[in-house]
């Protein structure tokens, strides 16, 4: 059975990052040399593929992993990249806004929360992840980044989503129940949330794609969505 | 086994004999200290070792996928300094012979950091052991201070699968001198150019039992043992391979025995100075690990001047017989009768190859001079090199374009004859030389070598071999012959019947003296033509003057 991450990287993330590279750095013809922030683990397929496609270089990568041991392993694997670890990113950022350096800047923001195992199987996880994304996008906005590729990957499980737990106001259609329990509604809510957090930070989305796939557990779906976004003014 | 994360304590115990060894000045080089850790990984059955120099954070991390250690092994073997293991007589499941015997490898990096953290998980075991060794307690003010010491450690469930083994070693708070040395960007030695980091990388690649570069299949095939699983090493995410100087050609490879010692060796040369200079000589290896630096086996100390010695390099792999003879500093062996025989042998081989290279350089020079401007035809040079008829480059032999041009005009000899003579001498009976007449395109090579038929074909009428001279806007093809100059008025040269060729007399004394052959040729031809064609006195004087001007105007 093919590795689900490999499918995600090849079918969704790579085309999106390539498009983002062309849009954000049209003058960089041979090597896009984009700065990558990625939540990853020892299966760092996205780094290998992005490097192979001349989208990023090891020295332009910041990788985050929640586990101390895995971080040490990643340090020896990735060489010149910066590896960070202060627990799960969503916990670290939501508890302390000082976790990320003030001058944090990246062109590709790969928030693959499924790499931060074990997955926190509790209500409010996805809302926390979205809030964490919001914090990072505001930092990029504060640091005058012109645009970015945002990839958000999560597991949709049995827990309902509660839009009230998201720290910014969402303009949800009436058709979506509250709390959100249906898979399609959860996907819709995530899309709205990502769109909103970009708009709130003065970024416009020019390309959106997503992928919903099965996991070994029938009740849990793997969902990944990505956008290319550029400053609106 | 206690699996809680409670902090436990174990004692580092010391075999006092070790202190004596350590005081000999062991581990003076940081890269060699790291090499000791890598050797431990090799012995632990690692197929991959990954090293990260995190200088900004003052850390060095080494991770291997070897067997790892259980809590018991950690306490009773790892922390037992000087835990002696008999050299292994048999190979392990990976086909390897154990490198370490003295049980002091883990001490090696202690002088360079304040603490050493080790996280290890034995394959087949669920639990990892994490211990902290206060390195600074073992090395004070430049001296070892080995004593029994307590080490705090914890045991916890690992996130790895049960069948995986792993050891991670982190040198924390590395000393400032190491940081300075590794981050220095200037030349640190006369030979290895680049930063201290480059030198560090070079040293690891030289000493560790790692793979040859994939491009050197010849070395992999010769030294590789099919039943042995090799170890790969990465430094900062980039795989490194054993150092092999660029463009080296194998001169000799053999397996040979000296009493009870069996070695597999090869001698190579790049046909120029081996760079960096640390690689000159033969690198002795025991169990694939370098023993000291490459050495010349003291050839030069015997009072011999071996000018080409710096063009020789190679490897000597001890296959049998010296397992128990390695000195604790790992630089050399106990000097036994068999070791002496081995050293004598390699002294003789290095002397032999030094002389051969001298001979080849002289022969090559002669061939380049015979080829003249043909030595710019890469096709000819490549095929001569492939056939082992040419070894050194023109540049290496300091032959300038000017020298090669002159070589043709100064010699009163048919250039085909000259090339045939030199090639016959070089090729001996290994190749048949065929002289072929007839028109050939100037774009085709003037010399063709067929290694299947073992022939060298020389196209005599190729424009590259045809020597020409111009006089009074008339072009003449030069030929050579021999006759007695005293028996004819045409003592220097004569024209052919059709008047298109000029034949020069190789026997004329002017061609044997110090005069420039080209001047003699021009004057000889000019006088001949003027006297046979010009009747008017004024014309005669004018033509002679023109001849003198043309001849001496450095055309």
């Amino acid at each position: 059975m093919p590795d689900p991450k490999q499918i995600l990287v090849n079918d969704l993330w790579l085309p999106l990052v390539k498009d983002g590279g062309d849009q954000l750095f049209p003058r960089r013809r041979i090597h896009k040399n984009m700065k990558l922030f990625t939540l990853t683990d020892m299966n760092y397929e996205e780094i290998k593929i992005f490097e192979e496609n001349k989208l990023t270089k090891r020295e332009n990568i910041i990788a985050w992993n929640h586990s101390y041991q895995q971080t040490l392993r990643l340090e020896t694997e990735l060489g010149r990249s910066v590896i960070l670890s202060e627990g799960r990113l969503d916990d670290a950022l939501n508890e302390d806004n000082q976790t990320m350096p003030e001058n944090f800047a990246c062109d590709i923001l790969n928030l693959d929360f499924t790499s931060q195992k074990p997955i926190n199987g509790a209500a409010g996880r996805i809302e926390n992840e979205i809030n964490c994304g919001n914090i990072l996008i505001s930092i990029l906005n504060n640091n005058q980044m012109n645009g970015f590729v945002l990839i958000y990957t999560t597991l949709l499980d049995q827990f309902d989503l509660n839009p009230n737990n998201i720290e910014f106001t969402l303009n949800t259609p009436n058709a979506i129940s509250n709390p959100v329990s249906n898979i399609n509604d959860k996907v819709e809510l995530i899309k709205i949330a990502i769109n909103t957090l970009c708009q709130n930070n003065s970024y416009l989305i020019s390309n959106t794609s997503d992928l919903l796939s099965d996991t070994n557990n029938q009740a849990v779906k793997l969902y990944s969505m990505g956008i290319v976004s550029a400053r609106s003014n | 086994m206690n699996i809680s994360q409670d902090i436990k304590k174990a004692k580092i115990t010391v075999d006092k004999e070790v202190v004596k060894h350590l005081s000999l000045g062991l581990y003076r080089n940081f890269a060699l200290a790291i090499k000791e850790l890598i050797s431990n990984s090799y012995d632990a059955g690692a197929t991959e070792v990954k090293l990260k120099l995190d200088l900004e954070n003052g850390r060095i991390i080494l991770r291997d996928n070897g067997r790892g250690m259980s809590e018991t092994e950690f306490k009773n073997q790892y922390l037992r300094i000087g835990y002696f293991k008999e050299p292994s007589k048999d190979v392990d499941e990976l086909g390897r012979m154990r490198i370490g015997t003295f049980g002091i490898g883990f001490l090696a990096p202690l002088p360079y950091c304040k603490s050493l953290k080790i996280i290890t998980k034995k394959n087949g075991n669920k639990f990892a052991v994490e211990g902290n060794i206060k390195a600074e307690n073992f090395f004070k003010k430049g001296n070892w201070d080995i004593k029994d010491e307590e080490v705090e450690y914890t045991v916890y469930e690992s996130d790895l699968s049960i069948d995986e083994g792993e050891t991670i070693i982190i040198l924390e708070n590395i000393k400032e001198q190491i940081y300075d040395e590794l981050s220095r960007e200037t030349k640190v030695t006369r030979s290895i150019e680049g930063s201290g980091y480059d030198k560090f990388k070079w040293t690891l690649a030289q000493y560790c039992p790692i793979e040859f570069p994939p491009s050197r299949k010849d070395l992999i095939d010769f030294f590789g043992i099919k039943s042995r699983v090799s170890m790969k090493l990465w430094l900062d995410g980039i795989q490194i391979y054993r150092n092999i100087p660029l463009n080296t050609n194998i001169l000799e490879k053999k397996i040979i025995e000296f009493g009870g010692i069996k070695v597999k060796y090869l001698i190579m040369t790049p046909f120029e100075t081996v760079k960096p200079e640390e690689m000159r000589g033969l690198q002795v290896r025991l169990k694939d690990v370098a023993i000291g630096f490459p050495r010349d086996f003291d050839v030069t100390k015997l009072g011999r001047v071996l000018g080409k010695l710096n063009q020789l390099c190679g490897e000597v792999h001890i296959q049998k017989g010296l397992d128990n003879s390695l000195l604790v500093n790992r630089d050399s062996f106990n000097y036994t009768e068999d070791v002496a025989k081995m050293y004598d042998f390699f002294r003789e081989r290095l002397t032999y190859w030094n002389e051969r290279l001298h001979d080849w350089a002289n022969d090559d020079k002669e061939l380049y001079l015979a080829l003249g401007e043909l030595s710019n035809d890469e096709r000819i040079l490549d095929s001569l090199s492939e056939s082992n008829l040419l070894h050194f480059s023109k540049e290496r032999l300091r032959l300038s374009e000017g020298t090669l041009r002159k070589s043709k005009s100064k010699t009163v000899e048919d250039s085909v004859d000259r090339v045939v003579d030199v090639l016959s001498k070089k090729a001996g009976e290994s190749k048949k030389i065929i002289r072929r007449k007839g028109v050939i395109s100037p774009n085709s090579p003037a010399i063709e070598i067929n290694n299947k038929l073992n022939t060298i074909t020389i196209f005599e009428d190729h424009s590259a071999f045809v020597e020409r001279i111009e006089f009074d806007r008339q072009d003449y093809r030069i030929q050579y012959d021999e006759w007695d100059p005293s028996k004819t008025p045409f003592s220097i040269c004569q024209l052919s019947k059709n008047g298109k060729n000029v034949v020069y007399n190789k026997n004329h004394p002017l061609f044997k003296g110090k005069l420039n052959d080209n001047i003699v040729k021009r004057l000889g031809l000019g006088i001949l033509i003027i006297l046979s064609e010009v009747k008017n006195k004024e014309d005669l004087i004018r033509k002679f003057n023109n001849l003198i001007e043309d001849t001496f105007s450095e055309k």
Side-chain angles (χ1 to χ4, degrees), chain B residues 53 176 179:
Chain B
L53 300 190
E176 221 164 279
Y179 179 87

Side-chain angles (χ1 to χ4, degrees), chain B residues 463-518:
Chain B
S463 57
F465 287 125
V466 177
E467 201 180 341
R468 294 190 172 277
I469 189 165
E470 195 191 289
F471 181 74
D472 211 13
R473 279 171 280 172
Q474 177 76 39
D475 191 47
Y476 300 89
R477 179 174 175 171
I478 293 176
Q479 291 175 323
Y480 298 98
D481 205 342
E482 293 177 70
W483 61 87
D484 185 347
S486 63
K487 290 191 175 166
T488 167
F490 300 100
S491 59
I492 298 179
C493 60
Q494 52 190 324
L495 289 172
S496 63
K497 280 181 187 167
N498 61 11
K500 289 181 177 172
N501 301 341
V502 54
V503 185
Y504 287 100
N505 181 9
K506 289 200 279 188
N507 270 348
H508 197 283
L510 284 178
F511 287 129
K512 295 181 177 174
K514 288 183 178 176
L515 280 174
N516 183 315
D517 294 340
N518 217 18

